[in-house]
Amino acid sequence: MSNRSNLQKLLAVNSEVDNIEAKSSNKKLDVIFDSKWMTSEEAANYLRVSVGQLRNLVYAAKVKSYRFGHRLRFLRTDLDSLLKPFF
């Protein structure tokens, strides 16, 4: 399988998980994900991947990130566009 099809499957699973979580009210996650900027840990939780996998996605230029000093930050809108279907 290609990396693109693996990424599409991962994103589809993440979308299904998000739909399930949307039905249950988890206020702590709602507060975190309402912010415009996310840390690496928050972004990894949002995408349902490990922080290491998120860094690999950044290195492979599949996820847009911003550097503030030595820290990586992510815009929620950039992560949402990654979760949208490719078709």
Side-chain angles (χ1 to χ4, degrees), residues 3-39:
N3 288 338
R4 184 173 175 92
S5 65
N6 288 339
L7 182 60
Q8 288 174 336
K9 287 181 182 182
L10 174 66
L11 295 177
V13 169
N14 286 341
S15 179
E16 289 177 26
V17 169
D18 287 341
N19 289 338
I20 292 169
E21 284 187 349
K23 292 177 184 175
S24 67
S25 89
N26 190 340
K27 297 298 181 188
K28 184 178 179 184
L29 288 177
D30 290 341
V31 170
I32 291 171
F33 297 146
D34 280 343
S35 66
K36 183 177 179 179
W37 291 97
M38 292 186 184
T39 64

Side-chain angles (χ1 to χ4, degrees), residues 36-47:
K36 183 177 179 179
W37 291 97
M38 292 186 184
T39 64
S40 295
E41 185 176 334
E42 292 168 344
N45 287 333
Y46 187 71
L47 295 174

Side-chain angles (χ1 to χ4, degrees), residues 1 4 6 8-9 13 31 33 44 47-50 53 56 62-64 78 81 84-85:
M1 292 186 154
R4 184 173 175 92
N6 288 339
Q8 288 174 336
K9 287 181 182 182
V13 169
V31 170
F33 297 146
L47 295 174
R48 307 289 188 270
V49 298
S50 68
Q53 181 63 33
N56 289 339
K62 298 199 184 278
V63 176
K64 188 170 184 180
D78 292 337
S81 65
K84 290 182 182 175

